[in-house]
Amino acid sequence: MKTIHIETSSPYDVYIERGSLAKSGELISKVIDSKKTVIITDDTVNSLYTDTLVQSLEKSGISPSVFVFPHGEQSKNLNVLGGIYDFLCKKRITRSDFIIALGGGVVGDITGFAAASFLRGIKFVQIPTTLLAQVDSSVGGKTAIDIAGGKNLVGAFKQPALVICDSDILRTLPQSELSCGMAEVIKYGMIRDEKLFEVLEKHDISNVDEVMDDIVYTCIDIKREVVENDEFDKGERMMLNFGHTLGHAIEGWHNYTNYTHGMGVAVGMCMITERLCSPELAERLKKCVVSYGLPTSTEAPLSELLPFCSTDKKCESGSISYIICNKIGKAEIKKVTVAEFEKLMEG
Ligand code: NAD
Ligand code: GLY
């Protein structure tokens, strides 16, 4: 078992081991005293993994109830959140109890926000079941729900009490979801770790499972360093948004349907690198992106993407921050006016 300790305002450990879902009860008992919990999950993950988790918790004397909601981004909303609060009341969850997020980023984000807000804050454990959730959303304490005004507009910083990553769980992911997570993995290689990027170049979507544990460990360790330096997203943490400004714009252009976040990030990374970096670097990135089943370009015209960029959360009072990697493993944050950004992108 590999462990990464995250030294944030509320510190915690991340356990990474194949098969660790079945050891969750034991691992949780080491850090939380309560014997009562609610597992929050979506219908897809529920049918695959809740039984294993329940058995493991019961073996450690922890008694779980289960709240299940329909899978997908459309569930990350106030209605489902209200349903979670009602269920926690019904099960008489107190401040000394805890809740568990068993699922991808949607489950993790809404459960984390419920934990941040219910009774003004209770403990929660993240058991991420997608690659994106393991390498990104389960670590670092960003929690949120979507409202009519936009994605992730209501949320809180709330660090989990523990994160358990079992990469065996990723074997049941549809390939499109695996690719989506690989976009974030490629991002980590680009911004911080050339060796990780080289490992990615030696593999592809068909055989990356062989090195998945090491990849998850490396990515979380990069996120650890960034989050420890800038827990509340005031500076360095922005680096994690490489490819995301244009990526979100492309997702928005597609109305967030039939276009995954990972596809947007992949195209966003390629577009910015192609326009602002050397042709050799852009080619290397594109080759890697393609080998993980991701696109390198979009049919969306730049002129229609740019208005989405200026409404992005990373855009403040007429200026926009974007990330550029002139060398693999080295990222820089640049702040320019929206007009300058448009000029750069139009080349
Ligand atoms: P998701 O949670 O919707 O999961 C994707 C799909 O995979 C779902 O249909 C789910 O049921 C299914 N699934 C999950 N685990 C599975 C498994 N092991 N086997 C088979 N199917 C499985 O999506 P996601 O990509 O994990 O997360 C996206 C969300 O994460 C977005 O809402 C985004 O805003 C958020 N996010 C948050 C952060 C953060 O720092 N908090 C970072 C990045 C993304
Ligand atoms: N996913 C970006 C962050 O955690 O800051």
Side-chain angles (χ1 to χ4, degrees):
M1 166 120 25
K2 288 180 177 163
T3 307
I4 296 179
H5 181 70
I6 316 270
E7 194 60 40
T8 36
S9 52
S10 167
Y12 55 101
D13 286 336
V14 181
Y15 292 125
I16 303 153
E17 189 182 42
R18 289 191 187 272
S20 53
L21 177 67
K23 293 185 189 165
S24 299
E26 195 187 311
L27 296 171
I28 291 170
S29 294
K30 286 184 188 160
V31 293
I32 298 177
D33 281 338
S34 170
K35 295 295 177 200
K36 195 159 129 192
T37 191
V38 168
I39 299 167
I40 297 169
T41 189
D42 71 30
D43 52 354
T44 305
V45 177
N46 181 49
S47 63
L48 292 166
Y49 298 112
T50 298
D51 286 352
T52 308
L53 177 57
V54 166
Q55 276 167 28
S56 171
L57 292 167
E58 286 176 343
K59 237 176 27 196
S60 295
I62 301 170
S63 160
S65 307
V66 186
F67 181 88
V68 183
F69 62 79
H71 66 274
E73 185 71 31
Q74 67 283 356
S75 285
K76 214 174 94 176
N77 63 29
L78 278 168
N79 262 345
V80 174
L81 182 68
I84 293 173
Y85 291 145
D86 290 344
F87 192 79
L88 298 182
C89 289
K90 197 167 130 200
K91 295 295 166 187
R92 299 186 188 283
I93 293 296
T94 69
R95 268 195 186 153
S96 52
D97 301 318
F98 66 104
I99 58 179
I100 302 175
L102 175 69
V106 165
V107 171
D109 276 12
I110 197 166
T111 305
F113 188 57
S117 48
F118 186 70
L119 306 178
R120 299 201 182 87
I122 58 172
K123 288 184 181 145
F124 84 115
V125 171
Q126 288 268 21
I127 307 185
T129 65
T130 63
L131 179 57
L132 178 138
Q134 293 198 355
V135 299
D136 189 0
S137 60
S138 65
V139 175
K142 281 190 184 173
T143 73
I145 57 160
D146 306 331
I147 55 171
K151 271 187 74 172
N152 295 325
L153 288 193
V154 175
F157 285 98
K158 168 80 178 170
Q159 302 295 342
L162 177 70
V163 183
I164 299 169
C165 292
D166 176 349
S167 54
D168 277 354
I169 289 183
L170 306 180
R171 290 182 173 153
T172 54
L173 279 178
Q175 189 175 305
S176 58
E177 295 299 339
L178 189 62
S179 293
C180 188
M182 284 310 302
E184 300 292 346
V185 172
I186 295 169
K187 173 198 80 180
Y188 282 113
M190 285 294 290
I191 64 167
R192 269 293 162 90
D193 193 333
E194 187 166 16
K195 276 205 184 113
L196 168 63
F197 195 86
E198 285 165 1
V199 170
L200 300 179
E201 289 181 311
K202 287 191 188 114
H203 294 79
D204 60 41
I205 194 75
S206 69
N207 60 15
V208 69
D209 179 63
E210 289 165 12
V211 282
M212 196 52 98
D213 249 19
D214 289 340
I215 286 179
V216 169
Y217 178 88
T218 305
C219 293
I220 295 176
D221 202 41
I222 295 170
K223 182 145 188 189
R224 173 197 62 72
E225 200 184 357
V226 174
V227 167
E228 284 180 351
N229 288 338
D230 179 22
E231 180 174 351
F232 298 106
D233 208 8
K234 304 274 185 222
E236 180 182 337
R237 190 164 176 170
M238 240 181 262
M239 226 172 245
L240 299 174
N241 287 328
F242 176 50
H244 285 58
T245 303
L246 283 163
H248 286 151
I250 299 167
E251 281 184 87
W253 191 84
H254 285 271
N255 287 322
Y256 298 97
T257 45
N258 302 324
Y259 207 89
T260 67
H261 175 69
M263 288 162 77
V265 170
V267 175
M269 292 190 293
C270 289
M271 278 176 78
I272 206 134
T273 305
E274 208 167 34
R275 280 164 174 78
L276 306 180
C277 305
S278 72
E280 295 74 25
L281 178 55
E283 261 325 293
R284 217 175 143 191
L285 173 60
K286 279 207 259 179
K287 208 169 154 206
C288 186
V289 159
V290 168
S291 72
Y292 288 96
L294 291 158
T296 60
S297 63
T298 173
E299 60 186 299
L302 192 60
S303 58
E304 290 178 27
L305 291 179
L306 292 171
F308 284 95
C309 294
S310 53
T311 55
D312 194 274
K313 281 208 289 304
K314 291 171 284 303
C315 179
E316 282 169 352
S317 52
S319 70
I320 194 161
S321 295
Y322 68 92
I323 319 303
I324 178 172
C325 302
N326 273 310
K327 187 178 168 319
I328 293 179
K330 202 159 172 22
E332 276 175 78
I333 302 169
K334 304 262 189 191
K335 196 169 181 175
V336 291
T337 63
V338 173
E340 282 166 340
F341 182 71
E342 290 183 3
K343 218 163 141 196
L344 280 173
M345 287 300 104
E346 276 156 1

